[in-house]
Amino acid sequence: MTIGNPTIAITMLRHDLTAGLFAPVELILIEESDDRRSLIYVRPSSLMVVETNDALLAAARQLDAKLEALER
């Protein structure tokens, strides 16, 4: 599954165009046999920040938090 928000993507791209390599965020939702589900993704902050860029790192961490909230 691929999810995205153009506003978030634009925010990332303003800080560094290479962040576009990882937007939108990709994730997988796996349904287990015991009626449970697993949401798996790579934290955007671990992918998008290729070089030192504090503004991009802050924005990517905000996206991390949004995905963590989605998990709950």
Side-chain angles (χ1 to χ4, degrees):
M1 172 187 302
T2 301
I3 62 170
N5 178 321
T7 304
I8 292 172
I10 290 168
T11 299
M12 300 296 177
L13 294 172
R14 281 187 187 140
H15 297 301
D16 187 337
L17 290 176
T18 62
L21 290 170
F22 307 104
V25 173
E26 294 180 326
L27 54 88
I28 186 168
L29 179 63
I30 300 172
E31 288 193 53
E32 309 289 340
S33 60
D34 56 359
D35 202 31
R36 293 179 11 184
R37 292 168 188 81
S38 297
L39 179 64
I40 302 169
Y41 59 91
V42 178
R43 286 186 178 170
S45 63
S46 71
L47 294 172
M48 292 182 179
V49 185
V50 178
E51 297 179 4
T52 302
N53 185 327
D54 293 335
L56 177 59
L57 181 58
R61 285 186 174 156
Q62 287 179 347
L63 183 53
D64 290 350
K66 290 179 185 215
L67 287 169
E68 289 170 17
L70 180 65
E71 276 185 288
R72 298 180 200 139

